[in-house]
Structure formats: structure tokens, C-alpha cells
Amino acid sequence: MYVVSNLVKVTIPNYLSSLPIPDSVGGWFRLGVKDWLALIPPTVVVGGISYYSYQTIKKAREAGSGQINPCIRKDINKVVDFIDIEDITEKASLCRCWRSKNWPYCDGSHGPHNKETGDNTGPVVVRHKPAN
Ligand code: FES
């Protein structure tokens, strides 16, 4: 516990107070190469933490919304489609990822979605077997 306490109360404050952060806007223009080099590590750490936090919050929002449909007919309460089997000549690929621009048919949008999210969605293929 002493190590953590010393790190938080002594080491980090000493490090931060040693950084060449100027007191005025004009001071930034008077910094030397050595000063700028000294500012790179804390900038990378703050940038990395910010980026990681942003990505974590973004993923949590996407996962936590509880909605599978991101954009199809969001103005109605329930998306229901009817397709007459007679209208299917041979086969039809029906979207199950809710990303198709040609809803309810698959347009391949599941591919980029799967790549981006690590998901494994794909269409359901309905085949029409003509009566003999
Ligand atoms: S576009 Fe949605 S399953 Fe293919």
C-alpha cells in the first residue's frame, strides 16, 4: 500500500510539477526542443487514456441500447414484412442483421458489420421449390 500511496502523493505530483508547462500562452512559443520532448510522454498517456475511454463508452452505448435495429423504419412501432412465396422465383436472401439498405432482403451489409463488430450474422435464404 505504501508504494501506491507514495506514487499518488509524491511521485506523480513531483513528475507533473517538473513538466515545462508555461504560465502563459506566449510561453508555449518559447519552449525549447528539450521541453517539447519532455511533454511527449504525458501527452501520449493522456491521449491514450482519452481514446480508450471514448472507445469504451462508445461500445457500452452501442451494446447497452438493447436495440438490434439501428435504422430500419424507426418511425413505426414494429417492423413486419410479408413476402408471398409465389413471388420468390428460385430463392431470396432475407436480412437478419438489420443493416440492409434493401430491407427485408440482404444486400451484403452484414459483411462490413461482422468485420467491424466481430459478429457473425448473415441472411436466411428462402428457397422456392416449384411443384412438380
Ligand atoms: S444485409 Fe443483413 S443479413 Fe445480409
Side-chain angles (χ1 to χ4, degrees):
M1 205 62 209
Y2 171 77
V3 174
V4 174
S5 172
N6 191 51
L7 184 73
V8 171
K9 292 179 179 176
V10 179
T11 307
I12 292 175
N14 284 346
Y15 172 71
L16 292 174
S17 67
S18 73
L19 291 175
I21 298 175
D23 296 328
S24 66
V25 175
W28 289 101
F29 299 103
R30 290 187 288 277
L31 291 178
V33 174
K34 191 177 172 187
D35 297 329
W36 284 106
L37 290 175
L39 291 173
I40 290 175
T43 303
V44 169
V45 169
V46 169
I49 290 171
S50 300
Y51 178 76
Y52 181 75
S53 300
Y54 169 76
Q55 291 297 326
T56 302
I57 291 168
K58 185 178 162 192
K59 282 181 186 173
R61 280 193 180 154
E62 288 170 358
S65 71
Q67 295 186 358
I68 189 171
N69 176 8
C71 59
I72 296 169
R73 297 186 210 145
K74 296 301 276 185
D75 57 324
I76 59 176
N77 290 335
K78 187 189 300 183
V79 178
V80 178
D81 297 288
F82 293 92
I83 299 171
D84 290 328
I85 195 75
E86 294 81 18
D87 293 342
I88 298 173
T89 53
E90 193 174 310
K91 68 179 183 177
S93 298
L94 303 176
C95 178
R96 292 192 296 182
C97 75
W98 291 87
R99 267 88 185 154
S100 176
K101 305 284 182 286
N102 189 30
W103 183 265
Y105 299 99
C106 171
D107 70 353
S109 295
H110 59 270
H113 165 72
N114 288 345
K115 263 190 187 161
E116 183 180 312
T117 63
D119 210 343
N120 64 348
T121 63
V124 60
V125 179
V126 178
R127 289 186 288 200
H128 181 69
K129 198 175 189 179
N132 291 332

